[in-house]
Amino acid sequence: MKNPIKLGLIDDESLALDRLRYFISGIPGYQVEFAETNPLDGLRLASQKTCDILITDVQMENLNGLLISEQMEELGVPVIICSAHEEFALPSINLSVAGYLVKPVNAWGLKKLLEKVSKKLHILKESTLQMSLDYFLVEDYASFGYTKVGFNELYFVEQKQNYSHFHAPPQIYKQRSTLQSVEVMLPELTFVRVQKSFLINITKLQKILNKEVVLDNGMVIPLGESYKAQLLNAYKLFNRP
């Protein structure tokens, strides 16, 4: 079963918290991780990333909800503002607040907003996971499957007609794709275009000559004049202490 999305609730009115709890209990896929009437306690718990999404009031005695939202934005925790005062809607937009609920909250509005924020949260987590991977999958035509290739194994990619050739010595993998689509898939600080048909792994770079580059396995790759400045800039960025 899919793990439920954890919600944190902050409101200095206990009746407002009870109403939110009641509605959330009827929405599948969500659970209340904490519900605090003291905003300082709520902020402490949310700062520990105990919740996936935070719902907070704005006007509270000890701490303003917009200040909480500002801190959560830095931590990457999406915030839904829940307030009886619509005038706070505009300032909340400037803080990249994920959504705004006007009290009294109704179950349908809460459900739709949670679904919207959860969808964005899922996309963000998928993107983060993708960025954390140190490999990619190349089509394996022989087995009608995919082969895992580590970024550190890949020396360069060459485009020949409709196929991208991935050189990961001693293997060369071929996949029907464009170099542009491959470029998006690879880490941009590590793989740099050096010619219209070539992407290289700059961790494997040995020499930069006038019209070619030499990799540390002796492979010589053509260097296009229009790509030289981009390569030098990327190489400096990569080697900056």
Side-chain angles (χ1 to χ4, degrees):
M1 186 177 176
K2 198 173 180 181
N3 291 331
I5 292 175
K6 295 179 288 186
L7 304 177
L9 312 179
I10 303 175
D11 197 310
D12 58 0
E13 297 179 6
S14 57
L15 288 177
L17 285 181
D18 290 342
R19 185 181 179 89
L20 281 173
R21 277 180 179 275
Y22 175 73
F23 286 151
I24 292 167
S25 67
I27 306 174
Y30 300 90
Q31 73 176 36
V32 176
E33 191 68 14
F34 66 84
E36 292 290 338
T37 53
N38 185 329
L40 293 173
D41 289 339
L43 176 60
R44 176 180 53 80
L45 290 167
S47 298
Q48 295 168 0
K49 292 196 173 182
T50 55
C51 62
D52 299 309
I53 299 171
L54 179 67
I55 302 176
T56 180
D57 191 7
V58 177
Q59 284 192 316
M60 295 178 286
E61 187 175 341
N62 295 326
L63 187 62
N64 187 286
L66 294 179
L67 294 177
I68 294 175
S69 301
E70 191 174 10
Q71 293 194 41
M72 290 302 99
E73 184 180 3
E74 293 177 5
L75 294 174
V77 177
V79 174
I80 294 173
I81 290 291
C82 182
S83 174
H85 304 278
E86 293 188 55
E87 64 267 24
F88 290 115
L90 186 59
S92 71
I93 291 172
N94 295 329
L95 289 171
S96 299
V97 167
Y100 198 95
L101 287 169
V102 178
K103 293 179 179 178
V105 176
N106 64 76
W108 177 249
L110 176 62
K111 179 178 183 293
K112 297 303 291 182
L113 186 53
L114 282 175
E115 288 173 351
K116 179 182 176 181
V117 177
S118 299
K119 186 176 180 181
K120 290 182 179 179
L121 184 66
H122 175 72
I123 292 171
L124 179 63
K125 285 184 176 180
E126 286 291 312
S127 300
T128 304
L129 175 62
Q130 200 65 28
M131 289 173 64
S132 69
L133 296 178
D134 59 357
Y135 66 89
F136 64 104
L137 300 176
V138 178
E139 289 182 55
D140 188 334
Y141 294 105
S143 63
F144 299 99
Y146 293 86
T147 298
K148 177 180 174 180
V149 180
F151 293 138
N152 63 330
E153 301 171 41
L154 183 62
Y155 275 69
F156 67 96
V157 184
E158 180 182 7
Q159 188 72 24
K160 292 181 180 179
Q161 296 179 337
N162 296 324
Y163 289 87
S164 300
H165 296 251
F166 300 84
H167 292 254
Q171 303 296 324
I172 299 176
Y173 304 97
K174 187 173 83 169
Q175 174 177 287
R176 188 178 180 87
S177 57
T178 65
L179 199 60
Q180 287 88 345
S181 64
V182 171
E183 195 170 11
V184 171
M185 180 177 62
L186 299 173
E188 62 178 343
L189 293 180
T190 308
F191 290 86
V192 177
R193 186 87 69 102
V194 294
Q195 204 254 10
K196 184 174 70 173
S197 302
F198 287 90
L199 274 168
I200 69 163
N201 183 341
I202 60 175
T203 69
K204 310 295 185 184
L205 187 60
Q206 188 70 32
K207 292 181 182 179
I208 301 175
L209 304 176
N210 189 36
K211 293 186 178 180
E212 57 194 23
V213 296
V214 182
L215 304 184
D216 61 19
N217 65 347
M219 284 295 302
V220 178
I221 309 294
L223 173 60
E225 184 64 34
S226 60
Y227 295 93
K228 192 180 295 183
Q230 179 184 342
L231 172 63
L232 288 170
N233 186 53
Y235 192 65
K236 288 173 187 174
L237 285 173
F238 186 82
N239 285 279
R240 184 174 293 165

